[in-house]
Amino acid sequence: MTASSGVDERRSIVENGTWYTVDHPSAVGRVRRAASVVARDLGFDEDRAAKVGIVVSELATNQVKHAGSGRILVRVCRTGDAAELETLAIDSGPGMRDITAAMRDGVSTRGTLGIGLGTVPRLASSWDAWTSPGQGTVIAATFTGQGTTAGPRRPTGVTRPMTGQEACGDAFAVRHDDGVATLMVADGLGHGPLAAAASGAAVRTFLDAPPGSPVALLERVHRALSGTRGAAVSIAQVSGGVLHHAGLGNISGTVHGDRARGLVSHPGIAGVPTRQLRETTYPVERGDVVVLHSDGLTNRWSLADYPGLAARSPLVVAGVLLRDHAVRPDDSCVAVLPVTWSEA
């Protein structure tokens, strides 16, 4: 990658990872072994890899026991020379009133996830969760070999390929330049390997480019995709109390604060000749949440329907929205940028 000149340049590369369906006790061992293998591949020692397996096993076991079924994502996030293993467990079960109580060892109440969740805060480097009665549970847990992590508030997203496809044509990427975070979502035209090639080219170009505004970065991506089938692309950047956004194609963007505000994305496809690209700005406040997602998700959702979700980590927010609104027969991607004014 090309290094830029700022004092805080970071590029986060998140592998798509693998989604595991947990709908039977036999699936618990499968996802546990898979997560342990990924941990060892990252260089975790046997003790740390075993702890990863224990946490994933408990998450999967609770999905079977209390939700009937669920899904668990296992993936790797690389930032510079550091690598983390991320897990995301989602289900549509009965949910809980008090997730903190459920995370205490020795607590097991009928209708809650029970004692096993105490392993998450004890063994994970960081974790976060959202749950509500009747609205299921989403739990994120991150692991490093040293027990430290960049923290749950960093911008991130989640992707899932269309049913029957292995390659996902949607992608996201995050970069930090001098304390300013920039988020991109790309939706390669169509599905399968060619769509994935287009969104992958968008990610590489976005991460390798020198620091710039969203419209400058979008122009670079637009030029780079001329040899591909093209993609819809949206780029958001928060600097101080202003959100800068540039979009081309049907990526949906929303700022959620006291009210929801849609972001302007212009018609077209990155990589295909189009009119001049434009950037729009929006005032934002600390605590607002910016959400970008592909058309694999419906637009009929609001964070207001999920009490307390806006204050949770971006990975958990993305997991909830993907779980409930990625219902179309399409690749799906949702990415979340919290407005912190100190994104590094």
Side-chain angles (χ1 to χ4, degrees):
M1 294 181 185
T2 302
S4 55
S5 59
V7 296
D8 182 42
E9 301 96 6
R10 290 183 292 158
R11 307 291 187 265
S12 296
I13 300 175
V14 181
E15 299 176 3
N16 286 335
T18 302
W19 284 97
Y20 296 90
T21 298
V22 181
D23 56 3
H24 188 271
S26 63
V28 175
R30 177 172 177 249
V31 67
R32 181 192 71 243
R33 290 189 295 272
S36 297
V37 167
V38 174
R40 286 192 290 270
D41 288 345
L42 286 177
F44 291 14
D45 60 32
E46 286 300 319
D47 179 67
R48 191 65 177 151
K51 289 177 179 177
V52 171
I54 290 170
V55 170
V56 170
S57 179
E58 293 294 351
L59 292 173
T61 297
N62 280 298
Q63 287 184 337
V64 174
K65 284 184 176 180
H66 301 282
S69 65
R71 303 189 77 182
I72 294 180
L73 172 66
V74 179
R75 72 183 188 186
V76 174
C77 176
R78 303 179 188 274
T79 304
D81 295 330
E84 299 175 357
L85 188 155
E86 295 181 332
T87 62
L88 181 67
I90 64 176
D91 70 63
S92 299
M96 293 174 284
R97 291 189 180 279
D98 189 347
I99 185 69
T100 303
M103 290 292 183
R104 299 191 195 108
D105 285 331
V107 175
S108 182
T109 304
R110 185 175 180 84
T112 70
L113 292 185
I115 186 172
L117 287 184
T119 61
V120 177
R122 282 194 293 107
L123 302 182
S125 300
S126 68
W127 70 277
D128 192 33
W130 182 86
T131 184
S132 184
Q135 291 186 293
T137 301
V138 173
I139 302 174
T142 301
F143 305 85
T144 67
Q146 296 75 34
T148 59
T149 182
R153 292 296 295 168
R154 64 185 179 196
T156 192
V158 182
T159 62
R160 191 170 68 194
M162 176 179 169
T163 302
Q165 296 281 346
E166 293 187 3
C168 183
D170 293 356
F172 73 92
V174 180
R175 57 182 289 162
H176 299 258
D177 302 285
D178 293 328
V180 175
T182 307
L183 174 69
M184 182 192 74
V185 167
D187 178 356
L189 197 63
H191 313 102
L194 292 179
S199 61
V203 167
R204 289 190 297 273
T205 302
F206 171 77
L207 294 176
D208 287 346
S213 65
V215 71
L217 292 168
L218 181 57
E219 287 171 348
R220 280 182 168 266
V221 170
H222 180 47
R223 292 194 299 269
L225 265 57
S226 62
T228 72
R229 60 168 53 182
V233 178
S234 181
I235 300 176
Q237 181 183 94
V238 174
S239 179
V242 179
L243 167 67
H244 302 262
H245 175 261
L248 188 60
N250 56 350
I251 301 293
S252 295
T254 315
V255 180
H256 295 265
D258 293 336
R259 59 187 178 88
R261 290 167 288 162
L263 307 182
V264 174
S265 184
H266 297 285
I269 300 172
V272 176
T274 187
R275 61 184 182 181
Q276 184 178 3
L277 303 178
R278 294 181 176 84
E279 183 173 297
T280 51
T281 60
Y282 309 81
V284 290
E285 298 182 359
R286 192 187 304 270
D288 288 353
V289 177
V290 181
V291 178
L292 304 179
H293 68 80
S294 68
D295 64 351
L297 278 73
T298 66
N299 288 317
R300 295 183 178 180
W301 60 267
S302 171
L303 291 187
D305 296 332
Y306 301 92
L309 180 59
R312 305 321 312 160
S313 66
L315 184 54
V316 167
V317 174
V320 171
L321 295 180
L322 186 83
R323 180 197 66 182
D324 291 352
H325 302 285
V327 296
R328 291 175 171 166
D330 198 355
D331 297 323
S332 304
C333 175
V334 55
V336 180
L337 173 64
V339 178
T340 64
W341 298 5
S342 181
E343 293 85 358

